[in-house]
Amino acid sequence: MQGKGFIKFMAILLGIVCVYSLSFNFVTSKVEKDAKAYAKGDVEKEKAYLDSMATVPVYPLFGFNYQFCKAKEINLGLDLKGGMNVTMEISLGELVKSLAGNTDDANFNKALATAQQQLNAGGKDFVSLFVNEYEKLEPNKQLVDFFSNQDNAKLLKPNASNSEVKNFLSKEATSAIDRSFIIIRSRIDGFGVVSPNMQKQEGTNRILIEMPGVQDKERVHKLLQGSAELQFWQVYQNEEVYPVLENINKTLATTLKDTASVAGTDTAAKTGSKLAGLAKNADTKDSTALKNQELSKSNPLFAVLNIPTYQSETGQPSLRPGPVVGWVAQKDTAKVNAFFKRPEIASIIPQTYKFMWSVKPADLGAQTPSKIFELYAIKATSLDGKPDLGGEAISDARHDFDQKGHPEVTMYMTADGAAKWKKITAEASSDPNNKKAIAIVLDNTVYSAPTVQNEIPNGISSITGNFTQNDTQDLANILKAGKLPAPARIVGEFVVGPSLGEAAIHNGLLSFVLAFVVILVFMALYYNKAGWVANLALVINLFFIMGILVSLGAVLTLPGIAGIVLVIGLSVDANILIFERVREELNAGKSTPLAISEGFKHAMSSIIDSNVTVLVLGVILYVFGSGPVQGFATTLCIGILSSLFCAVLISRLVFDTLLDKKANISFGNKYTIHAFKNIAFDFVGHRKLYYIISTVIIVLGAIFYFKHGGLNLGIDFKGGRTYIVHFDEGMKTEDVKEKLTAVFPESETIVKTAGGDHELKITTTYHITDTDTEADKIVESALKDGLSKTGVKYNIVSNEKVGPIIASDILYSAYGAILFSCLVMFIYIVVRFKKVNYGLGAVIALFHDVLLVLSFYTILDGVLPFSLEIGQDFIAAILTVMGYTMTETVVVFDRIREKLAQQGKEDLHGKERETLINFALNSTLSRTILTSLTVFFVLLVIFIFGGASIRGFIFALLIGRIIGTYSSLCISTPIVLDLGEAKFKSKK
């Protein structure tokens, strides 16, 4: 074996990376255990402890703080941790109408309504749909008449064509989505979510948000759907505010004097500040802790708030000029807020003062390892408390570069806004020795506070500062956020309670461990010493998979765990392929070293082909899927690449090491060494029987399809709301449905068991098309009303909402995933084997498998004690089944190609061809059966112990595993024979 040194180097390097990545979990786990021990069940104390450790070094070797380590640990999905998954949709219809000055033109509004209907039905580009509809209604009228005005004269000419208007609207729509993304992101960061995950859904007007650990649904709704409020405020200077802060500090010192001990511990805990004496090795820092405690007694505010100062020419500290009045560590911002809210403090703060924080930490260089936020004192001069200028004054904002190449933002005002801006900037810059700043505020958070150098008469302003290019892009988007309303609405959400998360973790880990043990025991028993080599490679593979997942920041979900377990089963496939070829070489009389070398050599082509096909399907799953499907695809792709490295290279390295030590290597025992020998089953001769069996099943599936009124589509594909409800007693689905039908009028309501009669899955379309923000409350109130009539105590464990637009998008994406994967498989097979009939045979087999799985779903729906809904996870199962079929079919094709090469021929026909195909099927039968059984047992373990949430998904994989094996042996290769013979006869 060549390159042993390089393989060892790569294995060691990958091992070090994985150890480093996984080590953060152990560090954070230790801190969180200490927090639980300290809090003794008090959630507030536990949170306060963790807040206090945010900037404390906790990683022994590198000195990383807890906040850094927490960001680097493995991310658990909502189904494992609990929390909310929200899909926001930016209302482009309202944006377009607003850009047109809210016109009441009948055809304009009709075109908007029709475009929205087409978008709901699966259309993609709202702007294109709108323009097309308007041109149908008004073929001789130009759209520019609605959109051309003084504010956007630079962007849209008065004589612009409809095509140019379309480009203008598309840019505005993209800009609105980008602005909304930034605003929502800043709101979520302020919400305090640990490791939120946000992503724009490319090609749509939607934003996907995951918030682990969040359960307050109503608060999230208000947070995400509230309208953004951009404001411009004058601000007080540091020297103006210092006397006020000094007075607050003295008042606090007096007020807290009698409760100093409480202020150092309990009050700090409740406000989220650093707790005295809780840091690691605190006993070695008694003097520092004592000084801090004394400082917090005499100067409560200044103990946590640092006043910006500089060293004057005399060497004395002086107040730093500018609008920043304080620097506060992130962990102490809550404490400062609590100080300001105290009644005795609120009474001494002038009414014209509004304290606000900077949107992100200040760049203070290497002065401190903590995240430091800036405090501003906003000047509220009007009687009604409104700002000097609102976001409606902005006509445009662009990120650019100044003459020196530094990033800047150019801001353009409307005509009315320019007049007000002239007055405000004139006041701020009137004193040449004391120029004032103006704060740009969004959602009561300061994004920037530039100092005004001169009066700005024309409404065009340049904002410069210590900006990066990303900073100016964000600021430009924020400034444009107040220009026009583009409401963001929640059109899909999924809420998982923490109790379900704990159950999911338990079930997922149990299924994982049991499936892993099943694989290890099977390989050790069947292949003896060689099996232990495979087991070692398998353990290393598992370690690599977990390490890579963590290092990439991937989110681990329950389907993701299923994907890992499945990859473990599939990774054994490579070892089985190699070991079966080694057995063939040993039976041919070759020595063990030569047999191992030849076995690896001859199995390599099949291993690469089979893994590439599954990898391609994994990529397609990732591109077309979302949420749990993407989690499954991520682990599948990473697992396949890691498995190839471990099963082929690591195991070969171990074998070579054993051979160098003259160790005796066995590939079976007396019970298994002769298994599958001398098998000569006539697969080809019985192909017509198999065709009849498949046809009968598909026809039965069609009959049940019409009997049931179609497929049992989940809310993924038809839209609706689903609730998982746990009852204290066993419930009959019919009784619960009867109660709910009365409270959900004129809607489809389905009630099914979800793993037992104590837990029910309730799906309804009630108010699903209602865009009102109160619709969710109405539905949930009606649900509770109906459930209360059962007289049994219940708990809503989780809920999910999918709007009709998302449902249609998911449905078409699913169709696209299946069709595109078939096309990719066809191209790969034709290119790899240089025969079109091979590609056609494989694709026909794929469609055969899809139809068979669908048929079994329709036949068994309502018979089995768990739901057989067709949703996103089912599509993932279908594509995985297709991967199974392709993997096994490619192995057979590879053996046919190998045999033809030995005979020096490109193809055979007639009886010779039948003999060749039967030989290929029988010679690979041991690998096909063993791999199928291995994966089947793994899936069976997950099915039994993996929990109700993935039972339908795993059932699809189980029957798919059986169908895939049947298809590769009895359908795909015999079809290749028939297609080849038909082509041969037509040529003759």
Side-chain angles (χ1 to χ4, degrees):
M1 180 184 176
Q2 296 179 342
K4 289 182 183 179
F6 178 73
I7 294 169
K8 288 180 181 177
F9 171 76
M10 288 301 297
I12 292 170
L13 181 64
L14 191 56
I16 291 172
V17 171
C18 292
V19 167
Y20 172 76
S21 299
L22 292 170
S23 64
F24 292 106
N25 284 72
F26 295 103
V27 172
T28 55
S29 176
K30 171 67 169 59
V31 175
E32 286 158 11
K33 282 182 180 177
D34 291 344
K36 286 185 182 295
Y38 164 78
K40 297 179 181 177
D42 188 325
V43 177
E44 288 296 324
K45 276 191 174 184
E46 185 178 339
K47 184 180 182 300
Y49 182 99
L50 294 176
D51 286 343
S52 75
M53 299 298 289
T55 55
V56 176
V58 294
Y59 199 114
L61 188 60
F62 300 105
F64 297 137
N65 59 40
Y66 171 72
Q67 192 168 14
F68 179 85
C69 295
K70 191 67 181 174
K72 291 290 184 181
E73 71 173 5
I74 191 165
N75 293 323
L76 297 180
L78 301 188
D79 50 0
L80 296 179
K81 192 174 184 177
M84 285 188 70
N85 177 309
V86 175
T87 302
M88 302 289 297
E89 182 180 81
I90 312 305
S91 179
L92 297 186
E94 294 187 45
L95 173 69
V96 171
K97 188 169 183 178
S98 180
L99 284 167
N102 293 311
T103 178
D104 56 1
D105 184 89
N107 284 333
F108 184 97
N109 291 321
K110 185 177 179 181
L112 278 178
T114 306
Q116 187 64 46
Q117 289 172 1
Q118 292 175 349
L119 189 70
N120 293 351
K124 289 295 180 185
D125 185 353
F126 178 83
V127 172
S128 296
L129 294 172
F130 162 70
V131 173
N132 292 340
E133 284 304 311
Y134 185 79
E135 287 178 340
K136 289 178 185 177
L137 296 169
E138 294 280 4
N140 300 318
K141 193 172 180 181
Q142 296 299 306
L143 276 166
V144 71
D145 296 339
F146 295 105
F147 300 103
S148 180
N149 54 50
Q150 184 179 351
D151 293 336
N152 58 32
K154 294 181 180 179
L155 302 174
L156 195 63
K157 296 177 182 178
N159 61 346
S161 65
N162 282 356
S163 177
E164 289 174 318
V165 172
K166 179 181 173 182
N167 291 334
F168 164 74
L169 292 176
S170 295
K171 288 179 181 177
E172 288 295 317
T174 302
S175 176
I177 295 168
D178 290 341
R179 287 168 359 224
S180 299
F181 183 85
I182 292 170
I183 293 166
I184 292 171
R185 183 181 63 193
S186 66
R187 290 178 177 184
I188 291 174
D189 289 341
F191 190 79
V193 178
V194 178
S195 302
N197 176 35
M198 283 186 65
Q199 56 181 326
K200 283 179 281 189
Q201 200 169 7
E202 296 302 327
T204 71
N205 55 327
R206 290 193 290 275
I207 299 169
L208 306 180
I209 307 163
E210 276 197 352
M211 295 172 282
V214 174
Q215 298 295 323
D216 192 344
K217 188 170 72 169
E218 192 168 330
R219 185 184 169 199
V220 169
H221 283 192
K222 289 179 181 177
L223 177 83
L224 298 182
Q225 295 186 138
S227 59
E229 192 174 2
L230 178 67
Q231 302 169 335
F232 294 85
W233 293 90
Q234 294 183 53
V235 291
Y236 287 102
Q237 297 294 94
N238 188 17
E239 61 269 18
E240 297 176 282
V241 180
Y242 178 72
V244 175
L245 294 177
E246 191 174 32
N247 190 20
I248 292 172
N249 183 58
K250 290 179 180 177
T251 304
L252 282 170
T254 304
T255 305
L256 301 176
K257 186 175 182 181
D258 296 332
T259 55
S261 60
V262 177
T265 53
D266 293 344
T267 303
K270 290 178 183 176
T271 57
S273 66
K274 184 173 179 180
L275 305 180
L278 294 183
K280 189 176 180 181
N281 298 327
D283 55 332
T284 64
K285 302 177 182 179
D286 288 341
S287 59
T288 304
L290 187 60
K291 288 179 181 177
N292 290 338
Q293 191 175 21
E294 290 300 319
L295 179 62
S296 66
K297 288 180 181 179
S298 58
N299 293 285
L301 179 63
F302 292 153
V304 291
L305 185 146
N306 294 317
I307 302 296
T309 59
Y310 74 103
Q311 195 169 9
S312 65
E313 294 177 357
T314 61
Q316 297 298 317
S318 300
L319 293 172
R320 178 180 291 189
V324 179
V325 302
W327 287 321
V328 180
Q330 182 183 25
K331 60 187 176 62
D332 292 324
T333 55
K335 186 173 186 179
V336 173
N337 289 339
F339 282 156
F340 289 162
K341 287 178 182 178
R342 294 176 69 94
E344 69 273 18
I345 301 302
S347 64
I348 63 173
I349 296 176
Q351 291 186 353
T352 56
Y353 277 56
K354 286 186 177 183
F355 288 106
M356 293 183 185
W357 298 104
S358 59
V359 70
K360 64 179 185 178
D363 182 11
L364 300 179
Q367 294 182 36
T368 173
S370 306
K371 285 188 176 182
I372 303 297
F373 282 78
E374 296 168 330
L375 183 66
Y376 295 86
I378 302 300
K379 184 185 291 186
T381 54
S382 63
L383 294 175
D384 57 5
K386 289 185 177 180
D388 299 301
L389 201 63
E392 72 281 352
I394 305 295
S395 65
D396 194 18
R398 304 174 193 172
H399 61 92
D400 209 337
F401 296 91
D402 62 17
Q403 295 178 347
K404 296 181 181 180
H406 299 142
E408 69 171 8
V409 174
T410 303
M411 181 173 66
Y412 301 87
M413 293 283 186
T414 62
D416 185 47
K420 293 180 180 178
W421 189 238
K422 177 182 178 181
K423 180 183 177 183
I424 295 169
T425 53
E427 291 178 5
S429 60
S430 59
D431 185 351
N433 298 319
N434 185 23
K435 294 183 182 293
K436 303 292 181 65
I438 293 178
I440 301 168
V441 176
L442 184 75
D443 291 337
N444 293 319
T445 305
V446 178
Y447 276 74
S448 179
T451 300
V452 180
Q453 299 300 326
N454 298 292
E455 175 190 305
I456 303 173
N458 58 4
I460 302 175
S461 313
S462 293
I463 303 173
T464 58
N466 188 22
F467 294 140
T468 65
Q469 191 172 349
N470 287 337
D471 291 337
T472 55
Q473 287 176 345
D474 287 355
L475 183 55
N477 279 326
I478 291 301
L479 289 170
K480 288 192 289 185
K483 177 187 172 186
L484 291 169
R489 296 192 181 94
I490 295 175
V491 293
E493 64 181 334
F494 179 38
V495 182
V496 182
S499 59
L500 181 63
E502 290 171 9
I505 292 175
H506 177 267
N507 293 333
L509 290 177
L510 179 62
S511 66
F512 181 87
V513 171
L514 290 175
F516 194 61
V517 170
V518 166
I519 294 288
L520 295 179
V521 170
F522 171 79
M523 293 300 290
L525 291 177
Y526 195 87
Y527 288 108
N528 212 342
K529 187 171 284 189
W532 285 110
V533 174
N535 287 344
L536 176 62
L538 204 58
V539 172
I540 296 173
N541 181 31
L542 175 61
F543 171 68
F544 284 168
I545 290 172
M546 296 304 297
I548 294 169
L549 280 173
V550 177
S551 63
L552 293 178
V555 179
L556 186 63
T557 61
L558 201 55
I561 291 179
I564 293 175
V565 178
L566 200 55
V567 163
I568 289 172
L570 292 173
S571 66
V572 175
D573 179 43
N575 288 116
I576 291 175
L577 274 170
I578 294 167
F579 294 171
E580 290 301 310
R581 289 307 295 255
V582 170
R583 280 183 168 188
E584 289 182 28
E585 302 300 331
L586 288 171
N587 292 334
K590 295 179 181 179
S591 64
T592 300
L594 184 58
I596 291 174
S597 177
E598 291 292 307
F600 273 88
K601 177 183 175 182
H602 291 303
M604 194 57 59
S605 176
S606 297
I607 291 171
I608 290 173
D609 283 336
S610 59
N611 279 273
V612 165
T613 53
V614 180
L615 182 62
V616 167
L617 283 172
V619 171
I620 293 171
L621 270 176
Y622 185 84
V623 172
F624 283 91
S626 63
V629 175
Q630 277 192 339
F632 179 79
T634 301
T635 54
L636 189 65
C637 292
I638 292 172
I640 287 169
L641 295 174
S642 176
S643 298
L644 272 173
F645 179 74
C646 295
V648 176
L649 299 178
I650 297 293
S651 60
R652 180 65 189 276
L653 201 63
V654 175
F655 276 123
D656 284 356
T657 303
L658 291 174
L659 290 172
D660 290 342
K661 293 181 178 180
K662 308 296 182 185
N664 179 36
I665 304 174
S666 55
F667 286 83
N669 53 54
K670 62 181 181 179
Y671 301 105
T672 63
I673 196 68
H674 299 297
F676 297 100
K677 268 193 174 182
N678 303 319
I679 293 178
F681 191 80
D682 186 10
F683 288 100
V684 174
H686 296 89
R687 64 186 184 278
K688 291 183 180 179
L689 173 63
Y690 307 140
Y691 296 164
I692 291 171
I693 292 172
S694 295
T695 304
V696 169
I697 295 172
I698 292 170
V699 169
L700 276 173
I703 292 171
F704 277 89
Y705 172 86
F706 290 108
K707 181 184 175 184
H708 293 156
L711 296 171
N712 180 14
L713 297 178
I715 67 166
D716 287 353
F717 288 159
K718 65 181 180 182
R721 290 178 174 85
T722 290
Y723 301 87
I724 302 294
V725 182
H726 180 82
F727 292 88
D728 286 358
E729 301 175 12
M731 303 295 292
K732 291 183 178 179
T733 56
E734 295 83 1
D735 294 342
V736 176
K737 184 176 180 179
E738 183 183 346
K739 299 290 190 299
L740 294 177
T741 303
V743 296
F744 292 150
E746 298 178 2
S747 62
E748 182 186 1
T749 302
I750 301 170
V751 181
K752 294 187 176 182
T753 57
D757 57 3
H758 280 71
E759 204 157 80
L760 298 183
K761 184 177 185 180
I762 300 167
T763 303
T764 180
T765 57
Y766 187 53
H767 277 283
I768 193 58
T769 57
D770 190 347
T771 58
D772 193 291
T773 55
E774 297 295 312
D776 293 332
K777 289 183 181 178
I778 293 171
V779 177
E780 194 162 323
S781 176
L783 173 69
K784 290 177 179 178
D785 184 36
L787 294 177
S788 63
K789 292 177 182 177
T790 63
V792 178
K793 286 186 178 181
Y794 65 89
N795 177 38
I796 300 175
V797 179
S798 71
N799 64 76
E800 182 177 3
K801 169 189 170 185
V802 177
I805 301 177
I806 298 180
S808 61
D809 277 6
I810 293 173
L811 184 60
Y812 288 117
S813 295
Y815 291 154
I818 293 174
L819 294 174
F820 183 64
S821 59
C822 287
L823 176 63
V824 171
M825 293 298 101
F826 173 77
I827 294 171
Y828 181 80
I829 294 294
V830 171
V831 171
R832 193 74 176 90
F833 294 95
K834 299 179 176 62
K835 287 182 173 61
V836 175
N837 58 317
Y838 279 31
L840 285 173
V843 169
I844 291 172
L846 292 181
F847 278 110
H848 161 271
D849 293 358
V850 172
L851 288 174
L852 245 61
V853 174
L854 285 171
S855 296
F856 276 111
Y857 255 58
T858 55
I859 294 168
L860 298 175
D861 186 30
V863 177
L864 298 176
F866 50 87
S867 176
L868 289 181
E869 284 184 353
I870 307 243
Q872 280 195 92
D873 52 0
F874 176 80
I875 299 303
I878 285 287
L879 289 172
T880 310
V881 168
M882 291 164 66
Y884 290 152
T885 302
M886 289 304 302
T887 300
E888 294 174 352
T889 301
V890 162
V891 171
V892 177
F893 287 176
D894 193 72
R895 187 57 68 96
I896 293 172
R897 179 177 57 184
E898 181 186 331
K899 195 67 176 178
L900 286 171
Q902 290 174 358
Q903 296 179 6
K905 297 180 180 181
E906 290 189 2
D907 211 341
L908 296 172
H909 298 284
K911 202 69 181 174
E912 284 184 308
R913 188 181 179 86
E914 289 189 19
T915 304
L916 172 64
I917 290 178
N918 271 327
F919 163 78
L921 289 167
N922 282 293
S923 60
T924 58
L925 186 62
S926 58
R927 175 260 165 203
T928 302
I929 298 298
L930 291 175
T931 303
S932 297
L933 282 175
T934 304
V935 176
F936 182 83
F937 284 129
V938 168
L939 291 171
L940 190 62
V941 169
I942 305 175
F943 179 77
I944 296 171
F945 298 101
S949 58
I950 59 170
R951 192 153 287 152
F953 172 61
I954 298 301
F955 178 75
L957 292 179
L958 271 171
I959 62 172
R961 174 74 280 190
I962 298 169
I963 291 168
T965 304
Y966 160 75
S967 178
S968 63
L969 291 173
C970 307
I971 302 296
S972 59
T973 315
I975 285 176
V976 170
L977 170 68
D978 290 333
L979 290 173
E981 288 301 312
K983 186 178 179 182
F984 178 69
K985 287 176 182 177
S986 65
K987 281 187 177 181
K988 287 184 67 176

